[in-house]
């Protein structure tokens, strides 16, 4: 089961995508469908068939986003998180071979943009890092076996003007 957590920036991106689809893409494709339909026989009208297919994809995504946004719980930075790895943290890690990575622990809905540094809260790496602090060592089971990582730095995106 996928978690319902999301960062504020991830939520904002999904809302922006929904707005773009609903207010820009859908009206444009609807115009094309109506234009193609006005040409007559729809069964052999490639423009009509193609744009109708795009419209169905847009409608599916709009329905999905509408439902998903209602389920999601936005997790904002809290001062109590400072110094430990929690949801939304940027973590710099390093292994014995000198390989270094910077990762951000985010919700599964934020992985869609394939950001190379985003890892799902549900991933083995995120699970191993949660609750740890700088200089802690974590062991992660990978397809190639167990790997040791050391936490070098933890930071969070803090709201610019947080009003409580």
């Amino acid at each position: 089961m996928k978690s319902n957590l999301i960062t504020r920036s991830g939520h904002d991106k999904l809302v922006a995508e929904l707005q773009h689809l609903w207010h820009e893409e859908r009206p444009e494709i609807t115009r094309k469908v109506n234009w193609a339909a006005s040409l007559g026989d729809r069964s052999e009208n490639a423009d009509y068939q193609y744009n109708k297919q795009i419209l169905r994809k847009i409608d599916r995504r709009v329905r999905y986003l509408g439902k998903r946004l209602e389920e999601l719980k936005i997790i904002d930075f809290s001062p109590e998180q400072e110094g430990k790895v929690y949801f939304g943290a940027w973590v710099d890690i390093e292994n014995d071979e000198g390989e270094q990575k910077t990762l951000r622990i985010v919700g599964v809905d934020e992985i869609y943009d394939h950001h190379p540094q985003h890892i799902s809260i549900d991933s083995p790496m995120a699970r191993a890092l949660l609750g740890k602090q700088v200089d802690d060592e974590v062991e992660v089971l990978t397809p190639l076996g167990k790997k040791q990582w050391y936490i070098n730095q933890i930071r969070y995106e803090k709201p610019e003007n947080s009003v409580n």
Side-chain angles (χ1 to χ4, degrees):
M1 184 175 141
K2 64 182 178 177
S3 66
N4 288 337
L5 306 178
I6 194 164
T7 62
R8 169 89 40 205
S9 60
H11 184 269
D12 292 348
K13 282 183 184 176
L14 291 182
V15 168
E17 179 187 357
L18 179 58
Q19 294 299 318
H20 175 76
L21 287 171
W22 189 251
H23 295 291
E24 294 175 37
E25 280 196 44
R26 192 177 193 290
E28 177 63 25
I29 297 299
T30 301
R31 277 192 291 280
K32 289 180 181 178
V33 167
N34 289 337
W35 169 81
S38 73
L39 299 178
D41 186 7
R42 296 176 187 173
S43 65
E44 294 183 21
N45 185 330
D47 278 333
Y48 177 82
Q49 298 292 333
Y50 175 73
N51 286 300
K52 196 74 173 152
Q53 184 178 18
I54 291 174
L55 192 57
R56 281 192 295 273
K57 280 184 181 177
I58 290 171
D59 287 344
R60 260 193 312 272
R61 183 70 178 162
V62 164
R63 275 192 307 277
Y64 172 78
L65 289 172
K67 287 179 186 172
R68 189 68 180 143
L69 284 166
E70 290 175 8
E71 299 168 351
L72 293 171
K73 180 176 191 262
I74 299 170
I75 305 296
D76 285 319
F77 171 77
S78 169
E80 294 83 42
Q81 293 174 277
E82 203 66 66
K84 288 198 173 187
V85 178
Y86 293 108
F87 185 83
W90 283 97
V91 186
D92 295 340
I93 57 175
E94 181 176 2
N95 64 19
D96 289 332
E97 292 88 53
E99 182 183 359
Q100 297 182 359
K101 293 183 180 209
T102 299
L103 304 170
R104 184 169 193 211
I105 300 174
V106 297
V108 294
D109 296 276
E110 297 174 84
I111 303 297
Y112 72 91
D113 61 2
H114 305 293
H115 191 291
Q117 295 176 310
H118 286 180
I119 61 170
S120 166
I121 183 86
D122 300 326
S123 71
M125 176 67 86
R127 293 282 175 216
L129 290 169
L130 288 174
K132 301 294 192 272
Q133 44 197 350
V134 171
D135 294 331
D136 279 357
E137 183 178 317
V138 297
E139 186 175 87
V140 181
L141 188 59
T142 71
L144 303 173
K146 291 181 182 174
K147 235 181 174 178
Q148 300 291 125
W149 293 92
Y150 304 93
I151 299 175
N152 291 333
Q153 186 180 13
I154 303 165
R155 60 194 179 285
Y156 290 90
E157 287 180 8
K158 298 171 184 142
E160 292 170 19
N161 296 325
S162 71
V163 178
N164 294 347

